[in-house]
Amino acid sequence: MASAGMAKRGATLEEACEAILAMQRPIVIGHVVPDADCLGSMLAFAQAWGAPVTTCLPQGSVSRRLQFLIDWAGVAVIDSPAASDADGYVVVDTARQSRCNVGSAASADWSSGKTMVVIDHHAGNQGFGQVGWVVPDASSNAELVYRCLRHTGCPIDEIAASLLYAGVHADTRGFTIGVNLVASLAVAAELAEAGARVGEIGTRLCRNQSQEEFDLCRLIYRNTRTIAQGKIAYSTADSSEIAGCGCKPADIDE
């Protein structure tokens, strides 16, 4: 395993898993305003990994539409890495360290020199952390976490499969976009066989809105303007308008 002073960029799946297995009390971290792929990756890892794992999700950083993923996972959640005695970090779906969703610890050296393993699928990943397994031709980060869990022999039950399936489904927009949809569909099939709640996930991600979310959509469409002969559309919403819909900043991401 790479030490805190030895960066192992361009790591393999085996090297990333070895580094994580050396941790006794890891914290899993994602990016700010986490989407379904980020949350599914974080929560499935925490739910299925053998050692005690804590997830860092600062209060108010998750949209109400995706709260069901946290409810399903039933894992330990903290507001900041400073709230735990972790001996290492697993960072998922995040291309640069400044985007890590660490709450009040954002301006401090929250990693404290401890080993940070990065699992990511963004081509623009900046190579932070001591061990980085980055696979740009993966359509979702959940696919990589699935491979990691399978490689280490972690059991993937109905809950973990559902969390990972939500990530794959969301980042491929229902298997309609992606750099390697053949691989995505193969992983999705395996997750469905493991018990993923395919129908319910489709409903929650694509066909379900609260009144507050509906009102926010109406606001965004009402404020939409076009320029360049209709080729570019943009919208605005200030904090008071968002609050007037009964929403918070995290709810606008989708």
Side-chain angles (χ1 to χ4, degrees), residues 10 45 59 69 78 111 119 123 150 171 191 203 212 219 232 243:
F45 180 88
Q59 188 173 6
L69 296 173
I78 58 174
S111 65
I119 301 174
R150 286 289 303 272
D171 249 29
L191 293 172
T203 296
E212 293 82 2
L219 168 69
I232 299 174

Side-chain angles (χ1 to χ4, degrees), residues 44-183:
F45 180 88
Q47 193 266 355
W49 195 256
V53 181
T54 304
T55 54
C56 183
L57 288 169
Q59 188 173 6
S61 65
V62 178
S63 69
R64 75 179 70 209
R65 194 173 69 89
L66 299 179
Q67 178 64 40
F68 76 95
L69 296 173
I70 300 176
D71 297 339
W72 280 4
V75 300
V77 176
I78 58 174
D79 280 339
S80 167
S84 174
D85 61 348
D87 61 351
Y89 304 95
V90 180
V91 179
V92 301
D93 199 33
T94 308
R96 57 184 187 273
Q97 189 165 346
S98 61
R99 289 273 295 166
C100 288
N101 192 22
V102 291
S104 60
S107 60
D109 181 20
W110 54 267
S111 65
S112 303
K114 298 172 184 175
T115 298
M116 184 187 303
V117 177
V118 178
I119 301 174
D120 188 31
H121 72 123
H122 294 101
N125 186 283
Q126 295 184 346
F128 66 99
Q130 284 71 49
V131 180
W133 180 43
V134 180
V135 186
D137 64 353
S139 295
S140 68
N141 209 84
E143 297 170 42
L144 301 182
V145 171
Y146 175 66
R147 290 171 58 186
C148 180
L149 294 173
R150 286 289 303 272
H151 179 77
T152 53
C154 294
I156 298 176
D157 62 11
E158 174 190 336
I159 297 300
S162 297
L163 296 168
L164 291 170
Y165 181 89
V168 177
H169 183 282
D171 249 29
T172 60
R173 293 297 186 266
F175 308 98
T176 60
I177 62 171
V179 294
N180 192 350
L181 284 178
V182 172

